[in-house]
Amino acid sequence: MALLNSFWLSFILFSGLWLVAFCDQDGFLSLSCGGTKSYIDSFNISWVSDSAYINTGNTTTTTDNVGGVSLRFFPDFQGRKCYGLSVKNVSSLVLVRAQFVYKNYDGLSKPPSFSVSLGTAIATTIDLATNDPWTEEFLWPVDKDALSFCLHSIPDGGFPVIYSLEVRPQPQGAYQTGMEKISNKLLRKSYRINSGYVNGSLRYPQDMYDRIWDADEDYAPLHVSSGFNFLVNLSSSPSIRESPPEAVLQNARVLARRDALTYNFPLDTFGDYYIVLYFAGILPVSPTFSVLINGDVAESNYTVRSSEAGALYLTRKGIKSLNITIKSISFNPQVNALEVYEIIEIPSEASSTTVSALQVIQQSTGLDLGWQDDPCSPTPWDHIRCEESVVTSLDLSNMKLRLISPTFGDLLDLKTLDLHNTSLTGEIQNLDSLQHLEKLNLSFNQLTSFGSDMGNLVSLQVLDLQNNSLEGIVPDSLGELENLHLLNVENNKLQGALPQSLNKESLEVRASGNLCLSFSTMTCNDVSSNPSIETPQVTIVTKKKHTRAYNHLPIILGAAGGALFVVLLISLSVFLFVRKRTEVTHTARAATEMRNWNAARVFSYKEIKAATNNFKEVIGRGSFGPVYLGKLADGKLVAVKVRFDRTQLGADSFINEVCLLSQIHHQNLVSLEGFCHESKQQILVYEYLHGGSLADHLYGPNSKKFSLSWVRRLKIAVDAAKGLDYLHNGSEPRIIHRDVKCSNILLDRDMNAKVCDFGLSKQVTQADATHVTTVVKGTAGYLDPEYYSTQQLTEKSDVYSFGVVLLELICGREPLSHSGTPDSFNLVLWAKPYLQAGAFEIVDESIKGSFDVESMKKSAMVAVSSVERDASKRPSIAEVLAELKEAYSIQLSYLACYGHAS
Ligand SMILES: *[C@@H]1O[C@H](CO)[C@@H](O)[C@H](O)[C@H]1NC(C)=O
Ligand SMILES: *[C@@H]1O[C@H](CO)[C@@H](O)[C@H](O)[C@H]1NC(C)=O
Ligand SMILES: *[C@@H]1O[C@H](CO)[C@@H](O)[C@H](O)[C@H]1NC(C)=O
Ligand SMILES: *[C@@H]1O[C@H](CO)[C@@H](O)[C@H](O)[C@H]1NC(C)=O
Ligand SMILES: *[C@@H]1O[C@H](CO)[C@@H](O)[C@H](O)[C@H]1NC(C)=O
Ligand SMILES: *[C@@H]1O[C@H](CO)[C@@H](O)[C@H](O)[C@H]1NC(C)=O
Ligand SMILES: *[C@@H]1O[C@H](CO)[C@@H](O)[C@H](O)[C@H]1NC(C)=O
Ligand SMILES: *[C@@H]1O[C@H](CO)[C@@H](O)[C@H](O)[C@H]1NC(C)=O
């Protein structure tokens, strides 16, 4: 009875699987490398040419006696040669099988050797001198849509060559049992044996996953009787996740005596191995045995029950040969199939921030640097070096970069940055965050000023600034760099005294070729011959930035009177006495200055501390530091934006910002409640908005559950555009926001949107309407490419960034993503052609079917024109606003007609 049950169960199961296997080769990809025709082989598998999957290499055919086969070979030795394989719809694991054939196709009788990689892992080395053809099989844990399979030439190895490449999805959950963290392990097949079978290999369609099971006669011990083939229907196979084919389980190698059955497997690499043994009860008895790997007991009491199938999963670390012994405890030992894999670690990928930043940098060079896939693994990109999947060195010397863009600041792990001879102009900027930077080479550029606080680069050892156009004095903050041992400022236009903080034994300062630069000002007795320096900035004397005070005082006085000896005198006295000034005088003075600006409410640091409950709850991260939730004495909630010491603006810029912000009042702009400026603190207090940011709503944890409807999105866009329109056209002076992005658009309880974070704003006066700015600020993905290349800052840069926000509202995805294919990496480049063609399949899934097509068309058109590369072709924000208002009202009347609630 039991036998009958299992019979029917298995019949249904196996015939079910059989049908699936037979009808469709789901997810199979079979590439004939260098082939030109599609064909179906004797296993009923369809093959196609590989040309759609690779864009490099030459094709040829062998002149073999059997008529010749097509091959692809790679005659130039540079870089990796990669196939991009789509593994969409594959649940967890794919088998990748590659065949390499030489067969003297080039008539040189020099079989090549080369290595191959999958994703970030170097998988193995192929040596066609030892085997030709050569087959490799890998099991890859899928975690993305695409997988790259690459060939790498090795020195004196000849041209890499490939014959075929196959991708076969494997059963869900297979080849994981008994192994830790499969997700970062690649399995390379050593053996897959159909035990007891002596007549060739078996594969698709018997194995619906198209694994190739080889006969075992080459490995089976001589003293063993021949294979046993007993047709029994097996019942419990579904519990084996690998789903070995029934045809394989139906035969076994069975030892005729009650003794030990041993397989000997030579291994070609010393390493870690994963072993799977399959047993099926195809005999009327149930043998019990122990399993030994290289003489050690791995399983002591395993029983194969009649009509049941089971598997054992074993791993062995650091072995260079393998024997598997099955030793009888009762009845005759047997085994039905076995698989042996080498375990290869997959290096982790570089962080997506790093990859995004590097992609943007590549774009800004205007060159194709061949940067694809992962920057560090399997081999680092050109111009880059890595340590443990982290980019630690970047060398872009002799390219045209023009400025140090903010994206450099995202490469947080850099130890070496070489930007010499890259046409850099303006300020040294955007590098403050590189706390690990040890060597910075900015020599042979046209940099004019020490912009940001170099004192932040705490690990810096070598700073090379020679042959630039640096003006003014050398900032004192460089002296704070304890590890600095070489500072080269030769051949600049620097002058004045070198800060005494640099006068130390551990530091070599090279300063020749400047206007007048030394540790002693007294040697500079010809100051009058120096050209005047123009630095149009408000001057406030501060304690922290004594160097700035020193820098500016002479200019002001010089402008006023031009009495040079006074300049010298004052400079000296400031230099000598500035350190002695007490904190108290400074604070009192700063506070007075600020009251005079007629700004919003002035808070004391104590009040701020109380309001934020000692800076307890972080609600966001602004461009300069954390933002805390605060509650004022009157119960009003506020957002408190704190700048930490290291990221502080000069007092002058801070005052500018406070002054500017307190003048601005508009319903679509977040308003400033007050500020605090005490000793080392620079704190801005804003009104608090309960609805969070647009970014939270689009991408936050609840964004899928409560997704914004199209009409809501349009309303938000209209609100934000109103806010920007006020900045551009309504306020005096006009203001360019410079960092428009979803996380800078906040929502109140009623979902009204307000634009925030004017910290980086730039006032536009009539005179500098076409101001050339040297400080590029902003966020990767939103940056106007023209601003990048021309440094011409206009309102159109905000329009570009706002266009990106509109694209996000339409597509529901972030401006830069590191998943998917490289084509979809950049939102603007990806979405533009679709939207221009009115192809709305890229519209966010959650609003599909609920938008009016006209409304979408209008919004898409205005979004696309806002992100035009050529700024003059972009609409003004006022025009954008007008279009969005129309799109909004179209959508409203559509909803009125069709009754969708929003
Ligand atoms: C199950 O076994 C019977 C013979 O016992 C055979 O006729 C039948 O084809 C088998 N079913 C399968 C799916 O192999
Ligand atoms: C080959 O597969 C197709 C379906 O993909 C099927 O219709 C055909 O019968 C198969 N032929 C052979 C010989 O198995
Ligand atoms: C490879 O192809 C290129 C152009 O397709 C050709 O110039 C070159 O000579 C070829 N190299 C070899 C070794 O055949
Ligand atoms: C992936 O699966 C979905 C549904 O499961 C199907 O609509 C789509 O066509 C599949 N894509 C590919 C490339 O097979
Ligand atoms: C091996 O298989 C072939 C056909 O696949 C068959 O003709 C031959 O007899 C088989 N040999 C043995 C020893 O079973
Ligand atoms: C199996 O390997 C172990 C350890 O390497 C060795 O001691 C033993 O002799 C081997 N057995 C056979 C049968 O080769
Ligand atoms: C092996 O299993 C049998 C029953 O399954 C049990 O009686 C026996 O004690 C076990 N032996 C060892 C060594 O675990
Ligand atoms: C700077 O780079 C250019 C090429 O972009 C090169 O011709 C020139 O020699 C380089 N100069 C220095 C000083 O390295």
Side-chain angles (χ1 to χ4, degrees):
M1 200 54 205
L3 194 70
L4 202 68
N5 274 344
S6 57
F7 158 68
W8 281 110
L9 182 60
S10 83
F11 179 77
I12 291 158
L13 266 164
F14 278 112
S15 41
L17 293 178
W18 191 257
L19 269 177
V20 172
F22 220 74
C23 305
D24 93 343
Q25 308 166 358
D26 213 1
F28 280 26
L29 176 66
S30 310
L31 302 181
S32 157
C33 303
T36 50
K37 292 191 289 283
S38 299
Y39 64 95
I40 295 185
D41 71 8
S42 58
F43 297 101
N44 206 12
I45 290 173
S46 331
W47 290 80
V48 295
S49 162
D50 65 342
S51 54
Y53 298 84
I54 192 160
N55 54 17
T56 166
N58 292 24
T59 61
T60 185
T61 47
T62 62
T63 49
D64 209 28
N65 41 8
V66 284
V69 295
S70 319
L71 303 174
R72 183 178 293 272
F73 68 100
F74 304 93
D76 68 296
F77 290 101
Q78 297 305 308
R80 25 180 144 156
K81 314 297 176 328
C82 296
Y83 282 88
L85 305 174
S86 166
V87 286
K88 268 191 191 139
N89 281 9
V90 174
S91 49
S92 58
L93 192 73
V94 283
L95 180 151
V96 176
R97 182 162 43 224
Q99 268 193 285
F100 307 92
V101 170
Y102 172 63
K103 299 288 186 207
N104 202 16
Y105 72 85
D106 54 5
L108 300 173
S109 298
K110 277 194 187 149
S113 65
F114 49 92
S115 59
V116 298
S117 67
L118 263 86
T120 54
I122 284 282
T124 189
T125 301
I126 312 295
D127 183 0
L128 287 167
T130 53
N131 268 321
D132 184 8
W134 180 297
T135 304
E136 285 287 343
E137 269 187 33
F138 305 101
L139 293 175
W140 177 264
V142 174
D143 62 351
K144 301 209 277 190
D145 290 351
L147 169 62
S148 55
F149 177 91
C150 310
L151 289 82
H152 306 250
S153 43
I154 55 183
D156 302 324
F159 304 153
V161 59
I162 183 165
Y163 165 68
S164 70
L165 192 54
E166 297 160 85
V167 178
R168 308 285 185 249
Q170 295 298 298
Q172 176 100 43
Y175 304 104
Q176 293 183 12
T177 315
M179 197 162 33
E180 320 141 13
K181 273 191 88 182
I182 172 87
S183 64
N184 59 8
K185 305 280 197 303
L186 162 69
L187 296 179
R188 171 180 174 242
K189 187 191 99 171
S190 302
Y191 297 96
R192 188 183 298 113
I193 304 290
N194 182 1
S195 295
Y197 192 67
V198 290
N199 201 8
S201 304
L202 177 155
R203 62 185 288 186
Y204 186 83
Q206 278 86 347
D207 185 342
M208 63 182 288
Y209 302 101
D210 196 23
R211 290 161 293 198
I212 297 176
W213 300 82
D214 296 317
D216 74 346
E217 63 237 320
D218 294 346
Y219 316 103
L222 293 170
H223 65 274
V224 170
S225 68
S226 69
F228 227 96
N229 192 337
F230 222 99
L231 207 65
V232 163
N233 290 310
L234 302 163
S235 60
S236 34
S237 312
S239 69
I240 307 180
R241 295 189 136 168
E242 288 68 26
S243 303
E246 198 196 11
V248 166
L249 294 183
Q250 284 299 354
N251 37 259
R253 187 159 290 274
V254 183
L255 193 59
R257 289 163 285 135
R258 289 185 47 185
D259 195 357
L261 157 65
T262 297
Y263 277 89
N264 273 308
F265 294 115
L267 299 176
D268 54 359
T269 321
F270 175 84
D272 301 346
Y273 286 82
Y274 182 59
I275 301 154
V276 188
L277 304 174
Y278 301 93
F279 305 98
I282 58 172
L283 298 171
V285 292
S286 298
T288 296
F289 45 76
S290 49
V291 175
L292 289 80
I293 306 286
N294 288 350
D296 297 330
V297 177
E299 182 77 25
S300 61
N301 204 357
Y302 191 82
T303 302
V304 182
R305 290 180 209 292
S306 191
S307 301
E308 283 179 13
L312 273 179
Y313 304 86
L314 309 165
T315 52
R316 277 296 173 271
K317 293 200 162 138
I319 55 174
K320 53 183 187 293
S321 70
L322 176 65
N323 64 42
I324 300 173
T325 300
I326 298 171
K327 196 170 175 186
S328 169
I329 292 176
S330 64
F331 299 114
N332 306 42
Q334 74 170 70
V335 62
N336 297 56
L338 47 88
E339 294 183 83
V340 179
Y341 293 94
E342 184 188 349
I343 304 172
I344 296 171
E345 289 283 332
I346 302 173
S348 47
E349 294 186 345
S351 81
S352 58
T353 316
T354 301
V355 179
S356 307
L358 290 170
Q359 297 265 17
V360 171
I361 289 168
Q362 169 169 247
Q363 226 177 17
S364 73
T365 63
L367 302 173
D368 180 4
L369 303 176
W371 286 359
Q372 275 178 5
D373 300 318
D374 189 86
C376 295
S377 309
T379 51
W381 288 344
D382 288 349
H383 310 284
I384 279 173
R385 266 175 304 166
C386 298
E387 288 167 25
E388 312 253 329
S389 305
V390 151
V391 174
T392 54
S393 167
L394 176 61
D395 177 353
L396 298 175
S397 51
N398 307 328
M399 295 179 192
K400 268 216 159 44
L401 292 173
R402 298 187 193 85
L403 5 116
I404 307 173
S405 72
T407 35
F408 282 97
D410 288 341
L411 302 171
L412 295 178
D413 303 298
L414 277 187
K415 292 184 180 168
T416 306
L417 178 59
D418 189 347
L419 301 179
H420 89 264
N421 193 21
T422 48
S423 310
L424 299 177
T425 57
E427 277 185 15
I428 300 172
Q429 57 181 337
N430 295 322
L431 299 175
D432 308 25
S433 52
L434 307 183
Q435 305 273 305
H436 301 291
L437 198 62
E438 293 168 1
K439 289 186 187 147
L440 177 58
N441 188 346
L442 299 173
S443 61
F444 297 94
N445 286 300
Q446 292 85 50
L447 292 164
T448 50
S449 70
F450 292 92
S452 52
D453 194 348
M454 313 264 313
N456 290 349
L457 303 173
V458 292
S459 307
L460 205 59
Q461 297 172 8
V462 177
L463 177 57
D464 192 347
L465 300 172
Q466 64 171 303
N467 293 285
N468 273 285
S469 310
L470 293 170
E471 294 176 347
I473 60 153
V474 175
D476 199 19
S477 59
L478 290 178
E480 294 166 19
L481 303 175
E482 286 179 1
N483 300 313
L484 192 67
H485 57 75
L486 178 60
L487 171 64
N488 191 339
V489 291
E490 285 175 339
N491 304 321
N492 278 287
K493 296 178 188 155
L494 295 163
Q495 61 183 341
L498 281 164
Q500 286 303 319
S501 56
L502 295 174
N503 197 357
K504 50 189 176 188
E505 207 154 287
S506 58
L507 175 62
E508 178 187 350
V509 180
R510 296 186 195 155
S512 65
N514 281 285
L515 296 178
C516 175
L517 193 62
S518 79
F519 281 113
S520 154
T521 35
M522 287 319 184
T523 60
C524 295
N525 46 15
D526 194 16
V527 179
S528 58
S529 66
N530 298 339
S532 70
I533 319 151
E534 284 161 39
T535 4
Q537 268 178 323
V538 187
T539 301
I540 300 281
V541 180
T542 73
K543 170 73 175 23
K544 165 121 202 332
K545 301 272 170 178
H546 23 96
T547 55
R548 268 178 192 265
Y550 174 54
N551 191 4
H552 295 134
L553 264 184
I555 303 152
I556 302 256
L557 288 170
L564 285 165
F565 80 97
V566 177
V567 173
L568 191 61
L569 206 69
I570 301 264
S571 314
L572 257 176
S573 52
V574 169
F575 179 73
L576 290 173
F577 295 113
V578 79
R579 282 159 193 274
K580 297 199 172 140
R581 250 186 237 167
T582 64
E583 199 80 22
V584 179
T585 353
H586 160 73
T587 311
R589 181 169 177 169
T592 330
E593 301 266 4
M594 257 164 280
R595 279 178 216 285
N596 292 344
W597 284 101
N598 193 21
R601 183 171 160 198
V602 183
F603 291 94
S604 71
Y605 188 62
K606 237 184 182 161
E607 281 175 287
I608 298 284
K609 233 171 129 171
T612 57
N613 201 356
N614 203 10
F615 304 101
K616 197 158 161 229
E617 193 181 337
V618 178
I619 51 171
R621 207 149 270 284
S623 36
F624 284 100
V627 181
Y628 299 91
L629 182 63
K631 192 175 188 178
L632 300 182
D634 63 3
K636 185 170 188 178
L637 290 179
V638 288
V640 177
K641 182 172 145 187
V642 178
R643 284 180 181 156
F644 279 127
D645 194 17
R646 288 291 184 197
T647 53
Q648 278 181 338
L649 294 176
D652 44 0
S653 310
F654 185 69
I655 301 295
N656 261 343
E657 182 174 341
V658 168
C659 176
L660 177 69
L661 285 170
S662 51
Q663 289 167 12
I664 294 173
H665 297 285
H666 184 273
Q667 59 183 14
N668 298 114
L669 297 172
V670 174
S671 60
L672 183 73
E673 296 283 329
F675 67 94
C676 162
H677 188 244
E678 256 179 45
S679 59
K680 290 196 165 173
Q681 308 297 332
Q682 292 182 348
I683 298 172
L684 295 169
V685 180
Y686 293 91
E687 72 174 304
Y688 175 73
L689 296 183
H690 290 81
S693 76
L694 175 55
D696 299 337
H697 283 266
L698 287 177
Y699 316 118
N702 288 328
S703 59
K704 290 279 166 296
K705 234 171 34 204
F706 308 105
S707 82
L708 295 168
S709 63
W710 178 234
V711 75
R712 277 253 155 88
R713 292 178 197 217
L714 281 171
K715 170 69 167 45
I716 291 167
V718 167
D719 283 352
K722 280 182 187 164
L724 289 175
D725 183 41
Y726 180 80
L727 290 178
H728 288 187
N729 304 311
S731 71
E732 186 53 54
R734 293 184 293 136
I735 291 166
I736 299 174
H737 186 294
R738 300 219 275 177
D739 199 15
V740 175
K741 56 180 170 180
C742 282
S743 53
N744 278 343
I745 296 174
L746 303 183
L747 302 173
D748 69 10
R749 277 211 173 89
D750 306 319
M751 302 295 272
N752 299 307
K754 300 188 180 203
V755 176
C756 75
D757 208 351
F758 304 99
L760 306 167
S761 300
K762 168 107 187 108
Q763 305 172 48
V764 194
T765 56
Q766 211 48 46
D768 72 5
T770 54
H771 185 82
V772 175
T773 171
T774 52
V775 189
V776 171
K777 294 259 155 122
T779 303
Y782 293 92
L783 270 181
D784 169 7
E786 197 170 88
Y787 174 28
Y788 237 97
S789 52
T790 62
Q791 303 161 43
Q792 194 96 2
L793 180 69
T794 71
E795 288 95 332
K796 293 293 179 72
S797 299
D798 280 354
V799 171
Y800 182 92
S801 308
F802 188 64
V804 177
V805 170
L806 293 177
L807 292 176
E808 291 182 77
L809 288 169
I810 292 169
C811 303
R813 56 152 280 194
E814 292 180 79
L816 296 177
S817 84
H818 176 226
S819 62
T821 60
D823 313 340
S824 65
F825 174 76
N826 183 304
L827 173 61
V828 171
L829 302 179
W830 172 72
K832 228 168 141 180
Y834 285 94
L835 295 180
Q836 265 164 341
F840 294 147
E841 67 252 35
I842 61 162
V843 168
D844 191 350
E845 285 300 329
S846 65
I847 55 171
K848 271 190 186 157
S850 64
F851 60 81
D852 178 272
V853 175
E854 275 312 306
S855 155
M856 179 59 74
K857 222 182 238 171
K858 222 169 220 326
S859 318
M861 280 306 139
V862 73
V864 165
S865 58
S866 298
V867 296
E868 278 289 345
R869 207 188 150 84
D870 182 351
S872 64
K873 292 193 183 145
R874 295 176 207 151
S876 69
I877 194 71
E879 289 163 329
V880 173
L881 175 58
E883 289 293 306
L884 288 174
K885 277 181 174 165
E886 273 185 48
Y888 178 51
S889 69
I890 294 172
Q891 178 69 10
L892 280 179
S893 45
Y894 165 85
L895 293 178
C897 290
Y898 296 91
H900 291 263
S902 61

